[in-house]
Amino acid sequence: MATAGKVIKCKAAVAWEAGKPLSMEEVEVAPPQAMEVRDKILYTALCHTDVYFWEANGQTPVFPRILGHEAGGIVESVGEGVTELVPGDHVLPVFTGECKECAHCMSEESNLYDLLRINVDRGVMIDDGQSRFTIDGKPIFHFLGTSTFSEYTVIHVGCVAKIDPEAPLDKVCLLSCGISTGLGATLNVTKPKKGMTVAIFGLGAVGLAAMEGARMSGASRIIGVDLNPAKHEQAKKFGCTDFVNPKDHTKPVQEVIVEMTDGGVNRAVECTGNADAMISAFECVHDGWGVAHKEAVFKTHPMNFL
């Protein structure tokens, strides 16, 4: 394309400070360097993770920053060494990248490639430790290596997935985060067997995708858990057989589910990121053959589960 190798000026939504409204700015987007791709973002969704790090409550504040990670676009140009993508390819950004060669990428159990795994504190590119975004020569930081709240963005090639050009980007952009997260968690990690009972905590896009995975697996009973009763009707379309609103009960929701299921569900998928919901999801699963001392408390940071 005519813009290859040149700085592109475009619009981007910039987060200047934690919790302050995003500002539409003209940014300069540098050409991709070695093993990088510059994409034209056509559609981007808003994931709660973007909101979470925009608020920066308890997080490392990295500002000014261009957020966004759930999107679809077209390759504008590629950097040195990129052979699997060419300008014009339809692509989705993927915040957990892969090299297709290391032990993580070759394993069926993990995709946490050491170089391109989730790093919410990194605001620059791996190749040279610099940002590809600037305003009047001053750097604007990246987010999750994707920064899709910009008309153009630069991404490491390992974090770009080529897709069929016939796929509608305005819909399949959800595959770059929410749908893959929920569906993959159920089918690839939870792996419920036919006839099992599954509880899904949180019925947003991720939760509904997880519920679809439970339905596809042949779960006989799928219990949706959400604080918003309006979510129930939508969840029915994805296989929800029972709905529990924790606000409707005086006892912890995990106790409610244990009673409903005569001892607990076979599998639970937590899709909110809330630590209390994680505990409820863990404690509503049917007990096994090992029990800790009743006074024992297990504590760890939620990020360890990632």
Side-chain angles (χ1 to χ4, degrees):
M1 294 186 178
T3 51
K6 301 176 182 179
V7 171
I8 291 178
K9 291 186 177 182
C10 68
K11 293 292 185 181
V14 178
W16 291 99
E17 297 179 58
K20 297 294 179 66
L22 305 185
S23 175
M24 292 302 300
E25 306 282 357
E26 183 178 74
V27 299
E28 300 98 28
V29 185
Q33 301 303 305
M35 302 308 293
E36 296 174 358
V37 177
R38 187 163 60 183
D39 293 340
K40 181 178 183 179
I41 298 297
L42 298 183
Y43 299 94
T44 187
L46 175 64
C47 174
H48 192 266
T49 300
D50 297 308
V51 178
Y52 185 61
F53 286 95
W54 164 69
E55 293 173 336
N57 291 326
Q59 308 299 321
T60 302
V62 181
F63 297 97
R65 198 172 207 179
I66 297 175
L67 298 164
H69 63 280
E70 191 174 66
I74 297 175
V75 174
E76 175 270 337
S77 61
V78 301
E80 181 182 355
V82 176
T83 58
E84 58 266 54
L85 293 169
V86 297
D89 281 343
H90 286 217
V91 293
L92 302 179
V94 183
F95 56 84
T96 300
E98 58 180 36
C99 65
K100 301 181 178 66
E101 297 177 354
C102 73
H104 277 292
C105 290
M106 299 300 290
S107 168
E108 293 183 358
E109 301 298 323
S110 169
N111 65 341
L112 295 177
Y113 171 39
D114 290 334
L115 182 65
L116 297 175
R117 66 171 59 198
I118 297 172
N119 185 337
V120 295
D121 296 335
R122 186 176 65 233
V124 294
M125 299 301 291
I126 293 172
D127 180 59
D128 57 3
Q130 301 293 316
S131 173
R132 300 290 175 259
F133 300 111
T134 55
I135 294 180
D136 296 329
K138 297 180 180 180
I140 307 297
F141 296 112
H142 296 248
F143 176 64
L144 292 179
T146 52
S147 292
T148 62
F149 290 176
S150 175
E151 291 178 312
Y152 286 86
T153 188
V154 177
I155 307 174
H156 190 283
V157 67
C159 291
V160 180
K162 181 180 177 179
I163 64 169
D164 190 325
E166 295 298 316
L169 285 169
D170 61 330
K171 295 178 176 63
V172 298
C173 64
L174 297 176
L175 285 168
S176 69
C177 179
I179 304 304
S180 299
T181 300
L183 194 69
T186 304
L187 295 180
N188 301 328
V189 181
T190 309
K191 298 178 181 178
K193 295 180 174 62
K194 186 175 181 179
M196 283 187 168
T197 301
V198 181
I200 308 292
F201 285 73
L203 301 181
V206 176
L208 293 177
M211 186 167 283
E212 174 69 4
R215 185 196 64 77
M216 292 169 60
S217 299
S220 62
R221 193 174 183 185
I222 303 174
I223 302 171
V225 183
D226 203 286
L227 296 172
N228 183 355
K231 299 285 186 72
H232 188 194
E233 286 302 313
Q234 184 74 2
K236 289 179 181 178
K237 301 175 184 178
F238 293 84
C240 184
T241 60
D242 301 81
F243 179 80
V244 178
N245 184 340
K247 293 190 295 185
D248 292 340
H249 302 274
T250 56
K251 62 179 66 176
V253 68
Q254 55 266 43
E255 294 182 16
V256 175
I257 294 173
V258 167
E259 291 179 1
M260 289 172 58
T261 55
D262 192 26
V265 297
N266 301 114
R267 301 284 192 271
V269 187
E270 196 286 311
C271 304
T272 71
N274 179 280
D276 290 334
M278 293 178 188
I279 293 169
S280 295
F282 176 76
E283 293 186 352
C284 80
V285 176
H286 201 290
D287 59 353
W289 292 270
V291 182
H293 186 275
K294 67 178 182 179
E295 300 300 329
V297 176
F298 172 76
K299 292 183 178 181
T300 187
H301 194 281
M303 285 297 289
N304 290 334
F305 281 106
L306 290 177

